[in-house]
């Protein structure tokens, strides 16, 4: 366990992973709508509050995974409950925990039917999202990665717009179809290394052919999640039909899981294949940037516009990752966080307009600045931040 | 005292026989049935640690058989308890219905204990004939006599396959000079590649695959699921599958490890099963028929663990079939509750279930997600173990095809969840559910989740169990 610095104090990671889940279980027994809202807000705020001391206690000079916890889970197959975070995970977890209370607040009034169930879905989402970002065991990772599809599916399918059936099934099928081969790749890696520990899989000299197959399986799963250019069609549908909080989670956090996957798995586990496939992925990223940008120009529906622009922005992220130098990766990471915050903000803004005017057409929103001046300031402010900047930010040395 | 569970079932069947002679007997029959299944559950758990051989060593009681007996009792108990109302069965034949239900279970229990070919054959026939009779007992609705058609198909296919199996057994007797498995295994060892052995084994496996509902022995399955009463289908879909896996384990052990050809054949059949079952399930409207096709696909998954002929694979198969028992019981519990007069529910009958019966809706969705193999439910863990063992044995293509099938199957399971959760009832009446089915439903959901999150204990037991058969 030399990669993991075990943390013997307060088990921050386990608590912030499982607190929302326990909150969701309690939530199921709450029948009253307002109480359900307050309870969900309370849970998410506590989780956010807990994540801040974790951020402050993070040691920037260590190359190990910090706040590590390690427990045997399924010894028969050498599967463990291992969690730990490095700089990449830290930022993404912090973003998740801070956005979730906003999602609860953002759906305070807009969700009127089946409030309890909605909040249960949000809380289960939070558990699985945080878990994905700190799992250091591949089976744990995969379970959380897949389990998140269920609440997200329900969020779109129950509280979504008119074409929610189509959008939710497309979302579920696309992402699941992408990740079944990920499972095969995980088992193949286990076959080679005898362990499901993610750090133990890194930096081994697998044969180039093996690396290529594993890389392709990884790539399919993560590229669909990002989504990269030819696999992006589920995103506009899901974004448009999802309720506001669903869109925010989808854009801010779920999409980051794809790029997180590239960073955490593709680069360290299959480096040869990454170099081999780099040019193609760069081309796909550029295609995504151009395609997303141009398609966004032609949209009347604001949510669709943001969805396509997300395709473009995530193209920048993959571009940054696959130029394969530290500066590019730092830029990509910064862009991930930027995109998470700003797109989330934009979706909240669109949600507000939609709740008030029941239209997401840009034309119908003409002159809204006169009615809601403060709001428009925020709306204008959000996209300004959406440019990739290559500024170096403090990261762990594991990078 | 080795065979108390079997004796309880036999005794109950005899008592019910006398009950059936009286008029207006359905209340008594119901009472006897409930007491029997509860006593049976207790007895089979109490008999877990027993071991020994009786009837001239043709009937063996060991951990392998006893664990399967506990699972069989569990399945029978759940089916009887949630199907107390027996909506699809006429009031005056309920005593007879329970007689045959118990005899079928008795036969299945004897199957898992038999270690001699003729005993095995008799046990298998006892269970099969009771099942053939359960199917046409359904009240005729609509005058189409669908239950008769289903029963006829079941019977004809069944006896034909049994004939093939007997023929295969005669070959084995000729080759090994004994009908005891303990003698056959060493004598067949080393001549596994002999064409006569392969033919004999293939013929015996036909019958086992028929029981499990593997392609190409699946033709009876969707029709029987659809034609039989809901409670009967709940039984047929779950408990006999357990015995089929036990049979396959015993059968495969007979001639592993030098029967690689059989492994390849089984692999091809497994893939065909998965694709056939999943693709046909996509277009079904009747949920029982859909689950029938999904059962064919699941038979393919279970086969993955058996065909690699390794102990860890057998344990994975055993884990999977246990999970499958629980998932399917949960699904059929909801089907029985939603069906008003004992008719077959269509998928559209589940519209708005989340308002009409919240507990049923949760049970149904958990079982559907579990059957689809989505974590954190038991279906995922089972598939994961199967895929891991199959891949480490070098069957990469099989694993990829199985993984693709998971994605295909998701669509039809999801469509059930969708109608249950996303649509409004639109004036459909509420579903009245008793307390017992609700408790059973929640209990099954908890088991589905617990086995998915903490599988180690069950896997350990499965590994111990299969180590006895090898």
């Amino acid at each position: 366990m030399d990669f993991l610095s075990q943390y013997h104090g307060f088990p921050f990671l386990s608590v912030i992973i499982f607190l929302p889940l326990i909150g969701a279980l309690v939530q199921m027994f709450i029948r009253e709508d307002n109480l359900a809202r307050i309870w969900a807000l309370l849970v998410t705020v506590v989780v956010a509050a807990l994540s801040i001391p974790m951020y402050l206690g993070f040691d920037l000079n260590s190359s190990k995974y910090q706040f590590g916890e390690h427990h045997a889970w399924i010894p028969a197959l050498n599967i463990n409950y291992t969690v730990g975070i490095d700089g990449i995970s830290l930022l993404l977890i912090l973003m998740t925990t801070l956005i979730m209370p906003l999602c609860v607040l953002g759906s305070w009034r807009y969700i009127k039917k089946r409030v309890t169930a909605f909040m249960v879905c949000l809380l289960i989402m939070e558990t699985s999202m945080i878990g994905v970002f700190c799992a250091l065991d591949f089976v744990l990772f995969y379970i959380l990665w897949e389990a998140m599809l269920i609440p997200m599916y329900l969020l779109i399918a129950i509280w979504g717009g008119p074409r929610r059936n189509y959008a939710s099934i497309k979302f579920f099928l696309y992402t699941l179809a992408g990740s079944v081969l990920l499972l095969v790749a995980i088992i193949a890696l286990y076959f080679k290394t005898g362990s499901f520990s993610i750090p133990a899989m890194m930096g081994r000299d697998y044969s180039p052919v093996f690396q290529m197959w594993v890389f392709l399986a990884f790539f399919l799963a993560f590229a669909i999640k990002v989504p990269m250019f030819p696999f992006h069609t589920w995103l506009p549908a899901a974004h448009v039909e999802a309720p506001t909080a669903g869109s925010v989670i989808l854009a801010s956090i779920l999409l980051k899981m794809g790029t997180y996957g590239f960073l955490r798995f593709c680069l360290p586990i299959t480096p040869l294949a990454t170099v081999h496939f780099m040019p193609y992925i760069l081309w796909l990223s550029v295609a995504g940037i151009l395609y997303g940008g141009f398609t966004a120009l032609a949209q009347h529906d604001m949510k669709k516009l943001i969805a396509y622009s997300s395709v473009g922005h995530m193209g920048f992220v993959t571009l940054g990752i696959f130029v394969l130098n530290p500066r590019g990766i730092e830029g990509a990471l910064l862009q991930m966080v930027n995109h998470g915050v700003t797109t989330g903000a934009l979706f909240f803004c669109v949600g507000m307009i939609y709740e008030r005017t029941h239209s997401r057409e840009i034309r119908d929103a003409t002159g809204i600045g006169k009615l809601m001046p403060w709001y428009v300031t925020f709306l204008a402010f959000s996209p300004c931040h959406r440019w990739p900047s290559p500024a170096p930010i403090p990261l762990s040395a594991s990078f | 005292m080795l065979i108390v569970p079997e004796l309880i079932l036999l005794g109950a069947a005899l008592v019910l026989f006398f009950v059936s002679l009286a008029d207006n007997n359905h209340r008594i029959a119901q009472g006897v049935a409930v007491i029997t299944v509860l006593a049976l559950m207790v007895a089979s758990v109490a008999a877990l640690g027993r071991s020994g051989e009786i009837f001239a060593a043709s009937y063996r009681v060991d951990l392998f058989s006893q664990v399967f007996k506990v699972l069989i009792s569990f399945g029978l108990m759940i089916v009887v308890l949630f199907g107390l109302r027996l909506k699809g069965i006429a009031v005056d034949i309920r005593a007879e219905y329970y007689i045959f239900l118990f005899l079928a279970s008795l036969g299945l229990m004897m199957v898992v204990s038999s270690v001699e070919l003729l005993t095995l054959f008799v046990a298998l026939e006892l269970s099969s004939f009771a099942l053939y009779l359960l199917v046409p007992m359904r009240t005729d609705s609509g005058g189409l006599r669908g239950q008769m058609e289903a029963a006829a198909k079941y019977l004809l296919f069944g006896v034909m396959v049994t004939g093939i199996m007997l023929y295969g057994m005669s070959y084995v007797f000729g080759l090994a000079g004994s009908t005891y498995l303990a003698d056959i295994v060493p004598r067949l060892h080393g001549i596994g590649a002999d064409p006569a052995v392969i033919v004999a084994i293939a013929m015996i496996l036909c019958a086992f695959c028929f029981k499990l509902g593997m392609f190409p022995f699946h033709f009876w399955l969707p029709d029987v699921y659809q034609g039989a009463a809901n409670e009967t289908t709940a039984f047929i879909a779950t408990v006999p599958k357990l015995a089929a896996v036990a049979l396959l384990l015993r059968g495969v052990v007979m001639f592993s490890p030098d029967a690689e050809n059989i492994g390849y054949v089984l692999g091809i059949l497994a893939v065909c099963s998965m694709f056939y079952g999943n693709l046909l399930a996509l277009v079904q409207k009747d949920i029982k028929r859909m689950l029938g096709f999904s059962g064919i696909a699941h038979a393919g998954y279970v086969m993955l663990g058996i065909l690699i002929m390794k102990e860890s694979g057998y344990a994975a198969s055993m884990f999977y079939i246990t999970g499958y028992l629980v998932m399917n019981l949960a699904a059929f519990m909801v089907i029985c509750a939603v069906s008003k007069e004992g008719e077959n529910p269509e998928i559209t009958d589940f519209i708005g279930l989340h308002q009409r019966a919240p507990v049923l809706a949760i049970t149904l969705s958990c079982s559907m997600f579990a059957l689809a193999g989505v974590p954190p439910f038991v279906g995922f863990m089972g598939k994961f173990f199967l895929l891991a063992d199959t891949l480490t044995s070098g069957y990469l293509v099989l694993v990829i095809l199985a993984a693709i099938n998971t994605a295909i199957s998701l669509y039809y399971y999801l469509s059930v969840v969708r109608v249950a959760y996303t649509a409004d009832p639109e004036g459909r009446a509420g579903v009245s559910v008793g307390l017992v089915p609700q408790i059973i439903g929640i209990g099954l959901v908890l088991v589905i989740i617990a086995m998915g999150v903490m599988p180690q204990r069950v896997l350990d037991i499965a590994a111990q169990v299969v180590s006895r058969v090898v």
Side-chain angles (χ1 to χ4, degrees):
Chain A
M1 286 299 132
D2 49 343
F3 55 84
L4 190 74
S5 79
Q6 293 243 9
Y7 191 75
H8 295 292
F10 184 71
F12 276 109
L13 284 179
S14 289
V15 170
I16 64 169
I17 293 173
F18 290 111
L19 195 62
L21 186 66
I22 296 165
L25 291 178
V26 174
Q27 182 105 56
M28 284 179 188
F29 296 99
I30 300 180
R31 286 275 160 265
E32 217 270 315
D33 282 359
N34 269 325
L35 205 60
R37 294 182 178 116
I38 293 170
W39 174 253
L41 184 66
L42 188 73
V43 173
T44 49
V45 166
V46 169
V47 172
L50 281 173
S51 66
I52 289 170
M54 195 177 76
Y55 173 71
L56 298 175
F58 188 80
D59 180 6
L60 290 176
N61 298 317
S62 164
S63 66
K64 289 183 172 179
Y65 295 92
Q66 303 181 28
F67 297 101
E69 288 167 47
H70 181 84
H71 305 284
W73 179 21
I74 310 175
L77 285 170
N78 199 1
I79 298 170
N80 299 298
Y81 171 81
T82 317
V83 290
I85 52 173
D86 62 1
I88 312 172
S89 332
L90 177 71
L91 286 177
L92 293 171
I93 289 176
L94 203 64
M95 190 170 81
T96 310
T97 56
L98 294 179
I99 283 177
M100 287 312 287
L102 298 179
C103 287
V104 176
L105 280 174
S107 23
W108 201 268
R109 293 252 171 276
Y110 304 154
I111 300 298
K112 292 185 189 72
K113 63 168 186 178
R114 297 161 77 184
V115 180
T116 307
F118 184 85
M119 296 301 173
V120 168
C121 285
L122 281 190
L123 292 176
I124 295 179
M125 281 298 292
E126 184 167 17
T127 285
S128 46
M129 290 185 301
I130 298 174
V132 159
F133 287 133
C134 51
L136 289 180
D137 183 280
F138 232 138
V139 176
L140 182 67
F141 170 86
Y142 189 82
I143 286 181
L144 293 162
W145 167 275
E146 292 277 276
M148 140 185 358
L149 298 180
I150 299 173
M152 194 65 215
Y153 165 77
L154 291 175
L155 280 181
I156 303 176
I158 299 181
W159 295 276
R163 290 175 72 222
R164 54 179 189 247
N165 278 346
Y166 168 75
S168 56
I169 288 213
K170 191 168 181 180
F171 161 75
F172 207 138
L173 279 184
Y174 245 86
T175 37
L176 188 106
S179 35
V180 287
L181 289 182
L182 175 65
L183 183 65
V184 179
I186 293 174
I187 298 173
L189 282 168
Y190 165 69
F191 186 37
K192 294 270 180 193
T193 63
S195 153
F196 282 106
S197 160
I198 294 169
M201 288 174 179
M202 294 178 181
R204 303 260 186 135
D205 45 347
Y206 309 109
S207 72
V209 179
F210 178 76
Q211 284 199 20
M212 275 185 210
W213 287 112
V214 170
F215 180 88
L216 285 177
F218 281 166
F219 178 76
L220 190 66
F222 300 139
I224 287 177
K225 203 82 161 187
V226 169
M228 285 186 71
F229 162 59
F231 309 108
H232 65 279
T233 56
W234 64 270
L235 183 73
H239 263 330
V240 171
E241 302 305 326
T244 303
S247 296
V248 173
I249 294 178
L250 206 56
S252 300
I253 306 162
L254 244 66
L255 303 193
K256 305 302 169 298
M257 287 180 181
T259 44
Y260 174 79
F262 281 134
L263 277 178
R264 170 73 76 229
F265 305 117
C266 285
L267 268 50
I269 296 180
T270 59
L272 288 178
T274 309
V275 175
H276 181 261
F277 286 110
M278 182 184 80
Y280 309 104
I281 294 173
L282 292 182
W283 279 114
L284 280 182
S285 305
V286 173
I289 294 169
L290 294 176
Y291 174 85
F294 280 118
T295 322
L297 279 179
Q299 300 303 321
H300 300 291
D301 184 322
M302 284 189 271
K303 269 192 166 177
K304 250 193 176 143
L305 185 148
I306 307 174
Y308 279 111
S309 83
S310 285
V311 175
H313 287 285
M314 294 313 281
F316 277 114
V317 178
T318 45
L319 195 66
I321 293 173
F322 282 96
V323 292
L324 300 181
N325 62 46
R327 182 155 277 232
I329 291 174
E330 280 166 15
L333 194 57
L334 188 63
Q335 167 73 348
M336 273 157 79
V337 177
N338 278 350
H339 177 262
V341 176
T342 52
T343 314
L346 275 174
F347 272 117
F348 276 129
C349 293
V350 173
M352 285 179 215
I353 299 183
Y354 181 71
E355 289 303 325
R356 284 164 180 74
T357 64
H358 295 283
S359 163
R360 290 188 303 255
E361 291 289 305
I362 295 179
R363 257 178 310 160
D364 295 345
T366 319
I368 202 158
K370 285 184 184 162
L371 297 171
M372 306 161 75
W374 273 108
Y375 164 80
V376 173
T377 316
F378 284 121
L379 183 62
F381 195 58
S382 313
C384 292
H385 277 279
R386 305 185 66 182
W387 295 106
S389 76
I393 48 170
L395 279 172
S396 70
S398 71
F399 225 4
Chain B
M1 295 308 286
L2 288 171
I3 51 168
V4 176
E6 288 92 326
L7 289 178
I8 289 179
L9 279 173
L10 191 60
L14 283 175
V15 170
L16 282 167
F17 175 69
F18 286 108
V19 169
S20 73
L21 299 176
D23 285 337
N24 213 354
N25 53 27
H26 68 276
R27 294 234 166 265
I28 309 171
Q30 200 181 55
V32 173
V34 171
I35 293 168
T36 308
V37 292
L38 294 178
L40 179 68
M41 192 68 220
V42 174
S44 50
V45 171
L48 253 184
R50 304 251 168 80
S51 62
E53 284 182 340
I54 43 175
F55 304 133
S58 65
Y59 197 85
R60 189 193 298 160
V61 174
D62 56 8
L63 190 68
F64 178 83
S65 68
Q66 295 314 90
V67 168
F68 269 105
K69 279 175 200 168
V70 169
L71 292 174
I72 289 170
S73 320
F74 177 74
L76 179 69
M77 178 179 77
I78 300 288
V79 169
V80 168
L81 288 185
F82 74 60
L84 275 183
R85 283 191 259 173
L86 279 183
K87 292 174 223 170
I89 310 292
V91 174
D92 51 342
I93 55 166
R94 286 194 183 165
E96 286 87 343
Y97 179 83
Y98 282 122
I99 294 179
F100 290 115
L101 192 64
F102 290 158
L103 284 179
S105 310
L106 174 64
L108 295 172
M109 284 199 173
M110 287 166 62
V111 163
V112 298
S113 264
S114 304
V115 288
E116 194 258 348
L117 291 180
L118 287 177
T119 320
L120 190 70
F121 171 74
V122 171
L124 203 56
E125 286 310 277
L126 176 63
S127 74
S128 300
F129 274 92
L131 287 176
Y132 300 149
L133 283 168
L134 282 175
V135 175
M137 282 188 162
R138 183 182 210 180
T139 322
D140 195 28
S141 58
L144 289 172
R145 301 176 78 74
Q147 77 279 20
M148 297 298 177
E149 185 194 331
K153 277 184 183 161
Y154 197 12
L155 177 72
L156 289 177
F157 277 116
V159 292
M160 195 181 77
V161 171
T162 310
I164 295 174
M165 179 183 74
L166 264 183
Y167 197 37
M169 284 179 173
S170 72
Y171 266 60
V172 169
F173 177 65
L175 288 162
S178 167
T179 55
Y180 286 92
L181 292 185
D183 297 336
I184 294 171
V185 175
R187 285 184 203 166
L188 286 190
H189 218 83
I191 54 164
D194 194 294
V197 177
I198 292 179
V199 168
I201 286 162
M203 285 199 283
I204 295 178
L205 283 183
C206 283
F208 300 174
C209 289
F210 169 84
K211 274 271 156 205
L212 191 61
M214 282 276 291
F215 181 92
F217 309 100
H218 61 275
F219 289 102
W220 59 279
L221 202 132
D223 289 319
V224 169
Y225 274 41
Q226 190 181 19
N230 297 335
E231 289 82 1
T232 318
T233 312
F235 184 79
I236 294 178
T238 51
V239 183
K241 301 261 164 104
L242 285 170
V245 168
L247 273 176
L248 276 166
L249 288 179
R250 286 229 199 263
V252 169
V253 167
M254 252 200 289
F255 32 77
S256 69
D258 46 28
E260 270 190 14
N261 326 356
I262 298 275
Y264 285 120
V265 173
L266 290 178
I268 293 167
L269 294 188
V271 169
C272 292
S273 268
M274 290 178 213
F275 274 102
Y276 179 89
N278 281 329
L279 290 177
L280 266 80
L282 286 176
V283 293
Q284 302 304 324
K285 293 195 175 64
D286 183 320
I287 188 163
K288 276 162 69 191
R289 207 173 162 79
M290 186 198 95
L291 284 175
F293 282 108
S294 106
I296 298 174
H298 283 281
Y301 294 124
V302 171
M303 192 52 93
L304 288 183
I306 294 172
L307 66 90
I308 58 174
M309 302 191 183
K310 270 192 196 165
E311 224 171 283
S312 61
Y314 301 151
S317 283
M318 170 122 191
F319 181 87
Y320 195 80
I321 201 71
T322 311
Y324 182 74
L325 170 82
V326 182
M327 306 187 266
N328 249 11
L329 283 175
F332 275 103
M333 190 218 93
V334 179
I335 291 172
C336 289
V338 166
S339 156
K340 275 198 205 66
E341 310 285 334
E343 78 285 356
N344 281 0
E346 304 233 317
I347 292 175
T348 47
D349 290 332
F350 294 93
I351 288 180
L353 196 66
H354 69 96
Q355 282 183 14
R356 296 153 66 203
V359 173
L360 292 188
I362 288 184
T363 313
L364 183 71
S365 340
C366 282
S367 69
M368 288 297 143
F369 279 128
L371 283 166
V374 180
F377 302 112
V378 59
F380 168 76
M381 265 304 162
K383 261 182 205 146
F384 173 73
F385 292 144
L386 284 173
L387 295 186
D389 283 321
T390 316
L391 190 59
T392 44
S393 306
Y395 292 88
L396 178 67
V397 180
L398 263 184
V399 170
I400 291 177
L401 292 174
I404 291 171
N405 264 284
T406 305
I408 300 175
S409 70
L410 180 75
Y411 181 80
Y412 58 87
Y413 293 123
L414 207 56
S415 64
V416 177
V417 178
R418 191 189 71 210
V419 296
Y421 262 94
T422 66
D424 288 325
E426 294 161 0
R428 284 183 175 75
V431 180
S432 66
V433 222
L435 188 64
V436 176
Q438 296 211 21
I439 293 172
I440 293 177
I442 296 290
L444 290 175
V445 167
L446 290 179
V447 175
I448 288 175
I449 295 176
M451 277 179 72
V453 181
M454 293 171 289
Q456 183 61 44
R457 182 103 188 86
V458 184
L459 197 64
D460 280 345
I461 297 174
Q464 263 185 26
V465 166
V466 296
S467 69
R468 298 303 162 87
V469 70
V470 177

